[in-house]
Amino acid sequence: MDSLAQELGKTTLSNSVLENHANDVSTTVRSSNKKNKKKGAVAEGEKEQVENEVLRDTEPDADDGDDDDEDEETETTGASATTATGAKKKKKKKNNKKKKKVQTDPPTIPVSALYPSKIYPEGEVCEYKNDNLWRTTDEEKRALEKQNSDLYNDARRAAEVHRQVRQYARRHIKPGMTMTEICELIENGTRTLVEAKGFESGIAFPTGCSLNHCAAHYTPNAGDKIVLQYGDVCKIDFGVHVNGRIIDSAFTMTFDPVYDNLLAAVKDATNTGVREAGIDVRLGDIGAAIQEVMESYEVEIGGKTYQVKPIRNLTGHSIDLYKIHGTKAVPIVNNGDQTKMEEGEYFAIETFGSTGRGDVHYDMETSHYARAYDIPKTSIRLPKAKSLFDTINREFGTLPFCRRYLDRVGEKNYSLALKSLCDSGHVSGYPPLVDIKGCFTAQFEHTIVMKPTHKEVLSRGDDY
């Protein structure tokens, strides 16, 4: 019996050991499974974190003022989920700001697309001087200025077109180009950027590209083969209008530094005219200031020194709606004119300097024309002339045009008809204006407006 009891005890002990060993194995297996699951969860979490980061990088940004609160909520309420995935889902502030459009080269984007608000950049603002300084803070004048904001905005749109087109032109005009290529470069850019549409917006007058002793009113006619040379002095004068509000601005291009002082003299003279202009200022006083500055310059060309002379029979001018030359002339010499500038008026302050006589006359083939502001009552007898006059009225109205523009709208064999219209007074021709051959002339010009509180140099840019 004792031996049997001992055997049974051994058997029981053995079974207990086996059972305990089995339990240990089971525990080990469960622990191993848990570890494997945890590793899998961590790996899965890391994978999801990488995917989330990739998604965040590829999603467009947008501003969200509640991001911080949402992050805290995610960390608190989503703790168990975060533990399960092994990574916290973080939100990044988004930015939906659209990139501002930039003008192309050559310019192809209308300025209205560059300024979606349709509010265009203000020109250089200059306070009036002396007795008119009070206008700056006067409430009545501020209110009046606000009433005309749409008119100023039209002028600023035209001015921005001018700035962008001329900046492109100044970079790309080079010796070896024909004058026709230069004009078409400028005119095509203007039409595109201002979205040319008849009398709503477009080119204000033919592009002038007068060379050397020719000071103004030259643009190439069809067949013109003149090529820009390294030693040329080229005046680029072009205009833009929006709803008849004209920006008239000009600059001079040279490639030989020998002419630098000539250009400096004329630019300084124009800036002097802009500075002296103001409400109630006498036009003759502006001319006197311009003359004094310009004649203080000398330029040495070919071993000979020349005093820069203002071209006394060329002037700046007032600008009216759809009318490039208003009733007032701004002299560039002291001519004693007592006429005053007035509130609300627009002026082209332009000066011409010359190494010649300082006096111009008509010469060369006419290219510039304009319909008479006051149409004569006499009838047009020639049928072709009547048809041409209808085209001029329809396409240009009172805005100046050139023969290339008539070619562009499909007119043909119009020389006799155009001469007939000039003879009857329905159209006026403006031949090129030249000083003595062999001399050099330069020009700079800005458009300003006499606003109620201050004057604004609408066409001012970084270039001049």
Side-chain angles (χ1 to χ4, degrees), residues 146-178:
K146 192 173 182 181
Q147 290 176 11
N148 294 321
S149 59
D150 288 345
L151 296 178
Y152 302 141
N153 198 51
D154 284 345
R156 289 169 185 160
R157 178 183 165 195
E160 184 61 22
V161 170
H162 198 286
R163 276 189 291 270
Q164 294 194 19
V165 171
R166 78 184 188 227
Q167 286 168 6
Y168 171 72
R170 287 165 72 87
R171 290 194 304 269
H172 291 274
I173 294 175
K174 296 290 187 293
M177 297 177 69
T178 66

Side-chain angles (χ1 to χ4, degrees), residues 391-403:
T391 297
I392 291 169
N393 267 324
R394 182 179 68 252
E395 298 291 338
F396 314 113
T398 56
L399 296 172
F401 61 93
C402 62
R403 295 188 185 184

